[in-house]
Amino acid sequence: QVQLVESGGGLVQAGGSLRLSCAASRTLFSISAVGWYRQAPGEQRELVAAVTTGGYTNYLDSVKGRFTISRDNAKSTVYLQMNSLKPEDTAVYYCKLLAFRSWGQGTQVTVSS
């Protein structure tokens, strides 16, 4: 339905930072809230952050104060700034337009101790 491309993952030391990006189709992006999800091995995929079309944000309790989600509607892009990373943040991260069904390929985030 829509194409999503995540980027920005990598390997970092605990306490480090990464910035993830997700590019989407302009028309659909502009009318939908956007979420970042993550899935660790053996775990369910979980919503970690979301932003509405009006800029309201919400976060998983374990990432509050460390992660910041933002959107640039002109660029049809959503970002996830991740600071003070912990080993338990290790997962594949995906973005999704919450009003639609499509997922991107994901980007791996690995945090070493």
Side-chain angles (χ1 to χ4, degrees), residues 11 24-25 36 77 83 97:
L11 173 64
S25 301
W36 280 99
T77 300
N83 299 324
L97 305 185

Side-chain angles (χ1 to χ4, degrees), residues 15-84:
S17 297
L18 286 172
R19 189 193 193 209
L20 307 184
S21 299
C22 174
S25 301
R26 179 182 299 276
T27 301
L28 300 182
F29 181 90
S30 69
I31 62 171
S32 179
V34 184
W36 280 99
Y37 295 74
R38 67 186 181 190
Q39 188 167 24
E43 302 289 337
Q44 296 291 320
R45 189 170 297 184
E46 63 181 349
L47 180 65
V48 300
V51 59
T52 70
T53 56
Y56 170 83
T57 59
N58 199 15
Y59 299 91
L60 186 68
D61 284 346
S62 62
V63 309
K64 286 182 178 177
R66 300 188 297 119
F67 291 11
T68 303
I69 188 171
S70 62
R71 64 190 294 160
D72 184 337
N73 289 338
K75 296 182 178 180
S76 299
T77 300
V78 64
Y79 305 96
L80 186 67
Q81 179 67 46
M82 304 186 294
N83 299 324
S84 301

